[in-house]
Amino acid sequence: MAEFTEKVKSFLNESKRVLLVTRKPGMKEFKLAAKITGIGMILIGTIGMIIRIIGYLVTGS
């Protein structure tokens, strides 16, 4: 049980350290992240649609 509590304390200390270092992104950085996320979603959706069409053409149902 002592090992578990030590792991939890270590995790909380590391989390606290990360939160102290983080900062709010600027508008330019936010827009770039939004564009990359949008492109990724479109790309994954397109790949899924292509796989579904190929599956439909192969199985016929």
Side-chain angles (χ1 to χ4, degrees):
M1 187 69 175
E3 184 179 323
F4 175 74
T5 55
E6 194 63 38
K7 285 183 180 182
V8 171
K9 285 182 183 179
S10 174
F11 173 75
L12 291 175
N13 285 334
E14 290 176 21
S15 298
K16 181 180 175 184
R17 188 171 12 151
V18 169
L19 289 175
L20 290 174
V21 174
T22 58
R23 62 176 173 76
K24 184 176 179 181
M27 187 54 84
K28 184 177 178 182
E29 189 177 6
F30 176 76
K31 285 182 179 180
L32 179 63
K35 286 179 187 177
I36 292 170
T37 302
I39 290 170
M41 290 171 61
I42 291 170
L43 185 64
I44 290 172
T46 303
I47 291 170
M49 185 178 72
I50 290 170
I51 291 172
R52 184 158 179 119
I53 290 171
I54 291 171
Y56 177 76
L57 293 174
V58 169
T59 61
S61 58

